[in-house]
Amino acid sequence: FCRISPLYKDVHLMVSDPDHYSDVFMDAGADLVTFHYEAVKEEDIRKIADKIHGRNKKAGLSVKPHTPVEVLKPYLKDFDLFLIMSVEPGFGGQSFDENAVGRIAELKKLLEEAGSEALIEVDGGINAETGKRCREAGVDVLVAGSYVFKNDIRKAVDSLR
């Protein structure tokens, strides 16, 4: 139960120990916890997802810009969301990596072939133009920090819809 806000809380863990921090953020009210494929050993990926699901939360798995989307194939039915990073994690304001559009389309195809209803999220360099291209490629969720907060917030959000 989170007293701060009734809104859905989507937490993206960019940490080296997502197993530990997933508990911290779920205790704080997270509804969805996403962690990086690159941050854990492959044998721990499903264990963390199962732990998150065991607390009646949604689980997401993220890949960095240079990690092949194919690494997600074994997990397509284990997660509720897959996050394609379109910048290197670490700081805001980076330019959108154009390869993300093709990676989103590739993941969309893999999810459809697997019969998975998982959502696709993209994070990094999102603005009205890049957001539109990502939506056309099959993304479901856009994460836009700098674009929203460095502009008129209402207009920026409206431009992403």
Side-chain angles (χ1 to χ4, degrees):
F1 177 74
C2 183
R3 291 180 273 245
I4 295 171
S5 171
L7 297 175
Y8 192 83
K9 287 158 280 310
D10 175 349
V11 175
H12 176 188
L13 299 177
M14 292 186 276
V15 297
S16 60
D17 188 2
D19 188 32
H20 168 74
Y21 285 101
S22 64
D23 283 320
V24 172
F25 281 91
M26 288 187 290
D27 290 345
D31 297 299
L32 171 109
V33 177
T34 299
F35 62 95
H36 281 260
Y37 168 88
E38 301 86 355
V40 297
K41 295 177 184 169
E42 283 194 46
E43 60 266 21
D44 292 332
I45 291 173
R46 277 194 187 90
K47 289 178 190 174
I48 298 170
D50 289 345
K51 179 174 85 168
I52 294 167
H53 286 135
R55 293 197 50 191
N56 294 314
K57 307 294 183 175
K58 303 284 187 189
L61 187 61
S62 177
V63 288
K64 293 180 181 181
H66 300 292
T67 300
V69 171
E70 295 83 35
V71 303
L72 301 174
K73 276 185 179 181
Y75 312 106
L76 296 177
K77 295 241 183 163
D78 298 311
F79 287 86
D80 305 287
L81 178 140
F82 292 94
L83 170 56
I84 300 290
M85 292 298 298
S86 47
V87 299
E88 282 298 323
F91 61 93
Q94 296 179 64
S95 296
F96 181 80
D97 181 341
E98 293 297 330
N99 292 322
V101 175
R103 297 174 78 230
I104 291 164
E106 180 182 356
L107 178 56
K108 183 73 170 182
K109 182 179 177 190
L110 291 174
L111 289 169
E112 288 172 352
E113 289 171 354
S116 172
E117 294 184 18
L119 300 177
I120 300 174
E121 183 174 71
V122 64
D123 184 357
I126 299 300
N127 59 38
E129 179 185 318
T130 59
K132 180 180 181 201
R133 292 201 311 275
C134 290
R135 283 193 315 276
E136 289 169 352
V139 83
D140 301 293
V141 181
L142 300 170
V143 177
S146 297
Y147 174 66
V148 170
F149 292 105
K150 290 185 177 181
N151 292 292
D152 178 297
I153 293 173
R154 286 185 196 271
K155 287 181 183 175
V157 170
D158 285 344
S159 75
L160 295 171
R161 293 187 173 165

